[in-house]
Amino acid sequence: MGLSEGSPPAALPSSPTAPMRGSPELPQVGWSVEHTLAQLDLLRIADVRWKDGRAFSLAYLASPEAHDLATEAYRRFSGENALNVEAFPSLRTMQSDILSMVSGWLSAPPTARGFFTSGGTESILMAMKAARDQFRHDETRPIRQPNVVLPTSAHAAFHKAAAYFDIELRLVPVCSETWRADASAMANAANDDTIMFVASAPQYPQGVVDPVSDIAAVAQERGVNCHVDACMGGVTLPYLERLGVVVPRWNFAIDGVTSMSVDLHKFGYAAKGASVIMYRTARLRSHQGFVTDQWLGGVYGSSGVLGTKSGGAIAAAWAVMHHIGDDGYLRFTKAARDTTLAIAAAINDDPRLVLRAQPDTTLLSFGAAPQPVGDSAAMSSPLDIFAVADGLAARGWYVDRQAPPPSVHLTVNAVHANTYGMFLADLNAVLDSVSNRRGSAGSYGTLE
Ligand SMILES: *Cc1c(COP(=O)(O)O)cnc(C)c1O
């Protein structure tokens, strides 16, 4: 199975065009395998060409081999069901191997216990739900309406969890210069109903690592939880440290950190549907699961949000982690980091653009540089950064658009080492052409 399978020929336009029409009717007579696969390939013609390094969001590629291996491992276990590992001891073993490998990255103590989940969102939902139930069952400290204190840079998944589980969020603005969480403002936002503090390593929007030690210390002082969202950095940061990059402390080596989330389907380069939620102790983890026997089907238990859960994502993560190995992750982290720094330097050198923050890992964002208006002291920007994103899209590049402030966001991974030169040339050409056009703000996720 080759990587190019299903990719459109190079001559086809790669920019987002009208979606291809599917076939909404159930065929009277089933299609042949060949016809069905050909239709799938037609459907994806307008999709961003992420395997060619054109997506700076949503998709990750370490190497064609690692991707093909993930696909093959997924195929072999796609029908297996991790809802009950009694029936599939293979999946139990793979999950426990994955957790043990991730523990090393997180400097997790021997007491740490976790679960494999379907993604960062599920990991975060579970950390929030577990904290809520932990304090709900803690008779020594009655909580009326539980709240979680988090910086405005923390991921939207915390907001989703708060909405799902009826937890109040106390949002605290980040420091204006650095975009990092403000630990003392977070301390001030807490009260007796606070059950958890959140830090990110790094946060998504500007790619900076929060002062995790300070935030964990505040949590510890109050005797409550501290979750570190390392969905992005959980794989990258340990290797950046080994590459000699100065990284602030960010993991379980800090005493007050009680749980962490790490996505394997991002910089772990696994197939989609792979993340880990890790708790410092089995007791903390015990509040995550769900069990009932109040129906006619006997005892039903599940660890996370899902019931039936494909073995595919677990097998793919297990296979890719073993295939890439420690040396591979070091190499891919270096490739992504060097590329990030090269892009950051080019943006720094361009007077039309402003880098939001010097990237701590391999994420960065930039906006239009403010320019003086006339001879007054006022500043404004003649450039609409979303028009720049539109121009990049027309040239086949997919970037994230975010606000406030209006910015383009890049998640740089190993594949971009081959394409960033072309990207920077196109960015420059787009900047030359868009100066006064308005663009559309887009969104990180869609409701479809
Ligand atoms: C991606 C991400 C999440 C959410 O993970 P999904 O896998 O998209 O559900 C949470 N936090 C951070 C920092 C992320 O980058």
Side-chain angles (χ1 to χ4, degrees):
M1 213 181 338
L3 245 198
S4 59
E5 182 197 45
S7 300
L12 280 171
S14 53
S15 62
T17 52
M20 301 304 293
R21 230 183 90 69
S23 176
E25 268 133 52
L26 188 65
Q28 284 291 308
V29 177
W31 292 353
S32 71
V33 169
E34 295 71 27
H35 177 72
T36 311
L37 292 175
Q39 292 303 307
L40 279 177
D41 285 346
L42 277 177
L43 279 170
R44 77 197 317 194
I45 258 174
D47 289 358
V48 63
R49 286 160 49 183
W50 63 276
K51 290 175 215 162
D52 298 336
R54 289 188 161 265
F56 282 94
S57 172
L58 302 171
Y60 301 74
L61 185 75
S63 68
E65 295 72 37
H67 176 70
D68 283 352
L69 173 63
T71 307
E72 178 57 22
Y74 200 107
R75 192 186 67 74
R76 292 190 185 190
F77 281 83
S78 67
E80 274 69 2
N81 192 342
L83 173 59
N84 190 329
V85 293
E86 294 293 331
F88 301 106
S90 59
L91 296 179
R92 173 190 282 137
T93 302
M94 284 190 263
Q95 294 194 71
S96 116
D97 290 351
I98 290 167
L99 289 168
S100 144
M101 290 186 275
V102 169
S103 293
W105 287 336
L106 303 184
S107 304
T111 54
R113 294 291 179 277
F115 283 118
F116 185 94
T117 70
S118 61
T121 299
E122 190 184 2
S123 293
I124 288 167
L125 288 175
M126 291 298 94
M128 293 276 280
K129 185 265 184 201
R132 185 198 66 177
D133 288 2
Q134 172 194 338
F135 285 94
R136 186 180 272 175
H137 296 129
D138 184 348
E139 269 128 40
T140 64
R141 48 191 308 163
I143 300 266
R144 283 154 300 149
Q145 167 58 44
N147 71 64
V148 167
V149 177
L150 75 173
T152 45
S153 55
H155 196 272
F158 290 97
H159 297 246
K160 189 175 191 170
Y164 278 18
F165 301 132
D166 196 20
I167 298 166
E168 183 201 335
L169 288 186
R170 300 202 158 193
L171 277 171
V172 178
V174 294
C175 297
S176 58
E177 294 293 305
T178 64
W179 304 98
R180 292 178 214 278
D182 182 339
S184 60
M186 287 174 70
N188 291 335
N191 69 359
D192 289 345
D193 282 351
T194 298
I195 59 171
M196 188 162 91
F197 289 80
V198 173
S200 308
Q203 44 95 301
Y204 182 85
Q206 289 80 29
V208 297
V209 176
D210 284 333
V212 180
S213 300
D214 297 347
I215 295 167
V218 170
Q220 202 171 22
E221 201 174 300
R222 301 192 72 97
V224 300
N225 295 8
C226 173
H227 181 83
V228 177
D229 181 10
C231 279
M232 279 294 182
V235 184
T236 308
L237 286 167
Y239 294 100
L240 288 178
E241 283 169 354
R242 282 184 24 204
L243 289 166
V245 179
V246 180
V247 171
R249 276 150 45 90
W250 59 284
N251 62 22
F252 282 114
I254 301 166
D255 264 353
V257 173
T258 53
S259 59
M260 297 189 70
S261 43
V262 183
D263 286 351
L264 301 176
H265 60 202
K266 289 177 180 161
F267 288 98
Y269 298 106
K272 293 286 187 290
S275 173
V276 160
I277 172 71
M278 189 76 75
Y279 298 88
R280 182 176 286 279
T281 63
R283 190 186 62 76
L284 287 166
R285 191 186 76 156
S286 68
H287 302 284
Q288 174 172 327
F290 176 81
V291 185
T292 186
D293 59 3
Q294 300 298 299
W295 70 316
L296 302 183
V299 178
Y300 177 99
S302 68
S303 63
V305 172
L306 305 184
T308 286
K309 184 167 167 179
S310 172
I314 298 166
W318 188 93
V320 166
M321 290 172 82
H322 282 94
H323 171 67
I324 292 183
D326 200 49
D327 66 326
Y329 282 115
L330 190 65
R331 206 166 58 242
F332 292 131
T333 302
K334 179 165 173 26
R337 175 69 178 172
D338 289 348
T339 306
T340 306
L341 294 182
I343 295 174
I347 290 164
N348 261 330
D349 285 349
D350 194 316
R352 298 165 293 187
L353 299 176
V354 58
L355 195 62
R356 295 290 173 217
Q358 196 55 40
D360 278 344
T361 64
T362 56
L363 314 186
L364 63 88
S365 71
F366 60 93
Q371 311 285 348
V373 183
D375 17 85
S376 74
M379 303 283 273
S380 97
S381 180
L383 183 73
D384 178 358
I385 200 67
F386 296 140
V388 174
D390 287 346
L392 288 168
R395 289 167 180 259
W397 300 100
Y398 188 90
V399 298
D400 252 6
R401 301 154 194 238
Q402 64 184 27
S407 306
V408 161
H409 182 277
L410 306 181
T411 301
V412 180
N413 67 80
V415 72
H416 298 121
N418 310 317
T419 61
Y420 79 91
M422 220 179 5
F423 172 78
L424 289 176
D426 276 349
L427 174 61
N428 197 45
V430 168
L431 284 165
D432 285 343
S433 70
V434 295
S435 50
N436 286 315
R437 224 171 297 141
R438 295 264 125 211
S440 103
S443 73
Y444 176 128
T446 59
L447 283 178
E448 279 175 79

